[in-house]
Amino acid sequence: MQKRIRQKIEYRPRMRVWVGRIKFLDDESGKWMRTPITSLGTDDEGLAQERYDAWLATGVLPSSGQEESFEAAARRIVEGHLSDPTQYKKERLQRLEDYAFPVMGHVPVGAIEKHHVATVLDRIGARGLSSGTQVKMRCDLSRILGYLERKGVISKNVALGCDLGEEGEDDDRERMMLTDEEYVQFWRARGFHRELDMMVLFSRCLAAHRTSDLHAADWSHFDRATWETCQVRRPKTDNEPDARGRTRRGRRKRERGGLSRATRSYKMVTHRIPPIVREPLIAWWQKAGCPESGPVFPYVKGDKAGQRRTGRFISYAKTFRKA
């Protein structure tokens, strides 16, 4: 085992690359020796230091990243470098394991070309999956390759602009929506006695409630004296500052002056309650026991009955269409 000591790394402006060398004690001669000045294969100081430290610890010459397989790089980046919640990381890795790794997992990152990405997307389309899955997969690959590009490991992010292919063409069929007369017919036939009907009413006629708005709706947000107005929680836009005066523009950390991203914030927006909503809304409130506060659409069964609904990836779109 050779004893190694650290030597400084330095930047070579002409070469646009960081280089380094290691001083070590040779086991056979017993003399201190130095390695040749070796390129660390990147112009990023942080990545260069990581490669140098690995070289110092293992004695294996640093690679520019050309030999690291895509699967190894993807797992390392998703688990350690992408600022995603744990749930998103698990979903991203699952998609990569299902679709990308079987095709390009063994390919060295420096050898990845556009046809590798296209093959992954085509295989997803051939399985009859939606174009949305292809879009997510392309985003996954682009984030990983984009990270490697910024670190100087690869020269180009080949996933950018890669077409989805014939199997992944977006659905351009005309959007089908009920007319006002059809909505009236729907409501006359069903009434407003069920939760689903009230959700449809909120989505159609009261501030275009989305799933998150339906879950956040609280009786304290309504003017229960006149039933003329209500407050609806809306996420702030990118240009609106939060409580700390920061905006949510999607900039990289160094472009934000070292500041972390602003947390997702909300504001309460006042909306008028249309006459068509007012009577069914009052009846729904009375059915709930005339509460002063609490969720308008709580859990109705199980241990969480009466509590506010939570959770991600919930949609009532298919339920609305079926009705």
Side-chain angles (χ1 to χ4, degrees):
M1 183 70 179
Q2 294 175 331
K3 181 179 180 181
R4 305 177 187 89
I5 63 172
R6 181 185 298 271
Q7 296 273 115
K8 278 183 64 176
I9 63 173
E10 60 182 28
Y11 185 66
R12 296 290 175 88
R14 283 190 177 183
M15 299 170 60
R16 296 184 179 180
V17 72
W18 284 84
V19 299
R21 71 192 313 177
I22 288 177
K23 182 179 179 181
F24 63 94
L25 180 63
D26 186 66
D27 291 338
E28 295 183 0
S29 64
K31 295 181 180 180
W32 285 98
M33 304 180 69
R34 288 191 180 97
T35 64
I37 293 177
T38 303
S39 170
L40 297 171
T42 179
D43 62 354
D44 183 271
E45 183 178 5
L47 182 60
Q49 190 65 61
E50 288 180 14
R51 291 179 177 172
Y52 184 79
D53 291 341
W55 180 21
L56 190 68
T58 64
V60 179
L61 287 175
S63 165
S64 64
Q66 303 261 332
E67 299 304 320
E68 185 179 26
S69 69
F70 174 77
E71 180 173 352
R75 291 186 183 277
R76 172 174 58 84
I77 293 168
V78 171
E79 293 174 354
H81 298 283
L82 296 186
S83 56
D84 289 338
T86 302
Q87 179 66 24
Y88 291 164
K89 289 185 178 182
K90 290 181 179 179
E91 291 173 1
R92 195 184 301 277
L93 279 175
Q94 188 62 56
R95 280 194 298 269
L96 290 168
E97 291 171 354
D98 290 344
Y99 310 121
F101 292 165
V103 175
M104 54 191 289
H106 64 286
V107 180
V109 292
I112 290 176
E113 298 181 9
K114 196 168 185 175
H115 69 83
H116 292 111
V117 178
T119 300
V120 173
L121 300 180
D122 288 343
R123 284 168 63 94
I124 294 175
R127 293 187 182 185
L129 301 176
S130 68
S131 60
T133 304
Q134 289 179 300
V135 171
K136 290 179 181 178
M137 186 76 265
R138 183 175 61 184
C139 177
D140 296 338
L141 298 175
S142 181
R143 290 198 67 184
I144 293 167
L145 296 177
Y147 176 88
L148 293 171
E149 181 185 17
R150 293 195 301 274
K151 292 299 184 180
V153 178
I154 59 177
S155 60
K156 184 179 180 181
N157 179 359
V158 296
L160 286 177
C162 188
D163 294 334
L164 297 182
E166 295 181 1
E167 298 291 342
E169 293 295 333
D170 292 333
D171 187 354
D172 57 357
R173 292 175 299 177
E174 182 181 358
R175 186 177 182 185
M176 303 299 293
M177 298 183 66
L178 296 181
T179 64
D180 290 344
E181 292 75 15
E182 289 170 332
Y183 266 105
V184 171
Q185 183 180 357
F186 171 79
W187 286 328
R188 282 177 177 171
R190 294 176 60 97
F192 300 100
H193 308 296
R194 286 164 286 198
E195 180 184 69
L196 176 65
D197 304 321
M198 290 301 298
M199 285 183 169
V200 172
L201 185 64
F202 272 51
S203 297
R204 177 65 168 79
C205 300
L206 182 60
H209 275 60
R210 298 162 294 186
T211 299
S212 60
D213 302 326
L214 293 171
H215 291 176
D218 193 281
W219 288 117
S220 62
H221 299 163
F222 292 84
D223 176 9
R224 296 182 305 282
T226 63
W227 296 97
E228 292 287 339
T229 61
C230 68
Q231 298 284 320
V232 179
R233 191 185 73 167
R234 296 295 197 205
K236 290 186 177 181
T237 63
D238 287 352
N239 294 326
E240 294 176 301
D242 62 7
R244 298 175 63 180
R246 300 177 301 179
T247 62
R248 295 181 54 248
R249 287 191 178 95
R251 300 174 296 165
R252 290 206 290 265
K253 190 170 184 178
R254 65 171 178 268
E255 296 171 349
R256 299 192 300 270
L259 295 176
S260 61
R261 295 181 188 274
T263 56
R264 187 174 180 84
S265 54
Y266 298 88
K267 61 180 179 180
M268 302 304 294
V269 180
T270 301
H271 288 272
R272 295 195 62 82
I273 301 176
I276 194 173
V277 177
R278 190 172 299 124
E279 184 176 343
L281 178 61
I282 295 174
W284 188 255
W285 174 63
Q286 292 172 342
K287 184 178 179 180
C290 303
E292 295 185 1
S293 62
V296 177
F297 302 109
Y299 284 111
V300 295
K301 296 180 180 179
D303 297 337
K304 295 184 178 180
Q307 299 180 23
R308 189 176 308 281
R309 298 186 181 191
T310 58
R312 297 178 181 270
F313 314 112
I314 297 175
S315 173
Y316 299 108
K318 290 184 179 180
T319 310
F320 288 174
R321 292 191 187 102
K322 184 178 179 180

